[in-house]
Amino acid sequence: MDPDNPVVRLCVQGMAAEAEGRADDARARFRQAWDVATDDYEKCVAAHYLARHQPTPEETLRWNQECWDRADAVGDDRVRGFYASLHVNMGSAYRALGDPTAAHRHFVRAAAHIGDVPPGAYADWTRFGIADGLCTTRGDGPLAVLLHRLCARGELRALGVILPPYLGDLGTAEDRERLVTALSMVHAARWLADDEQQALGAVISELMGVSR
């Protein structure tokens, strides 16, 4: 984004105020950015930040929808890298409204766009947001139940191996293979109680069946 663009400049000021804990000042800068925006691209940028400072989940969703609509109206490479985080925000808004089905759809769409985000810390954070969204909206399967149990008793060795690929799983074949490899390593190490070993074996078999 062009740092000399007045809308971008106001949003940068708003982010600085946000970082300093001045929420009202941040909201005012983002609102000003929206008011001075002159085209769909600038409106898209301003709406993204305005959505972060809304008093209700409904208003948060409305502004995220506004951001999405404006991005679609732009329709060129300037917004191509926006869609992953845009769908994360839409998914998060629907999750806050208690609609996990709609939320999950947006997290899946976000995963499909992660390749458009330039590599770096922002891409890593967006990827984590997608994986977290997919995990929290797909329901508690047997692996989630087992992980909750391992967390409750502080089984750090197994968790240290499993959690990185589990939390980074966006549903691709490569992600699934990494997860199965990690689970198989823990299973082979026999760190878990007998019933947990059996549960883990069943999860591995299920995942391998899905990946074939």
Side-chain angles (χ1 to χ4, degrees):
M1 290 188 286
D2 180 5
D4 294 325
N5 180 290
V7 170
V8 173
R9 192 161 55 243
L10 283 165
C11 289
V12 170
Q13 293 171 4
M15 285 188 290
E18 188 178 83
E20 294 170 1
R22 295 182 286 113
D24 290 343
D25 289 344
R27 188 181 305 108
R29 292 293 185 276
F30 298 144
R31 183 72 217 194
Q32 187 180 358
W34 172 263
D35 291 339
V36 304
T38 59
D39 60 22
D40 287 316
Y41 176 77
E42 292 179 347
K43 291 286 188 184
C44 176
V45 172
H48 167 75
Y49 290 103
L50 266 174
R52 292 153 59 119
H53 287 273
Q54 296 305 310
T56 66
E58 290 82 5
E59 283 298 295
T60 299
L61 177 62
R62 183 177 78 82
W63 280 104
N64 280 317
Q65 181 69 57
E66 183 74 43
C67 180
W68 183 12
D69 291 343
R70 296 289 179 163
D72 281 350
V74 174
D76 59 33
D77 285 345
R78 289 177 297 168
V79 297
R80 183 178 178 183
F82 290 5
Y83 280 94
S85 63
L86 192 158
H87 283 294
V88 169
N89 293 338
M90 289 288 292
S92 297
Y94 275 114
R95 183 171 55 186
L97 285 168
D99 189 344
T101 301
H104 191 76
R105 285 198 299 267
H106 280 286
F107 290 124
V108 169
R109 295 183 73 172
H113 287 283
I114 191 61
D116 295 328
V117 183
Y122 181 71
D124 293 342
W125 179 248
T126 302
R127 183 182 179 90
F128 176 81
I130 295 168
D132 177 67
L134 290 172
C135 178
T136 57
T137 58
R138 65 186 167 210
D140 285 339
L143 179 54
V145 172
L146 178 60
L147 288 175
H148 284 306
R149 182 173 174 180
L150 298 182
C151 287
R153 67 181 183 81
E155 179 47 74
L156 298 182
R157 294 177 302 176
L159 290 169
V161 175
I162 297 171
L163 285 180
Y166 177 75
L167 294 177
D169 181 11
L170 301 191
T172 67
E174 293 80 7
D175 289 342
R176 186 57 49 85
E177 183 177 351
R178 280 192 289 269
L179 179 57
V180 169
T181 297
L183 295 173
S184 299
M185 290 170 60
V186 172
H187 192 267
R190 301 199 62 83
W191 289 332
L192 309 182
D194 288 344
D195 60 331
E196 293 170 347
Q197 284 286 127
Q198 292 176 1
L200 182 56
V203 168
I204 293 169
S205 295
E206 179 183 357
L207 289 175
M208 291 182 68
V210 168
S211 63
R212 290 194 183 103

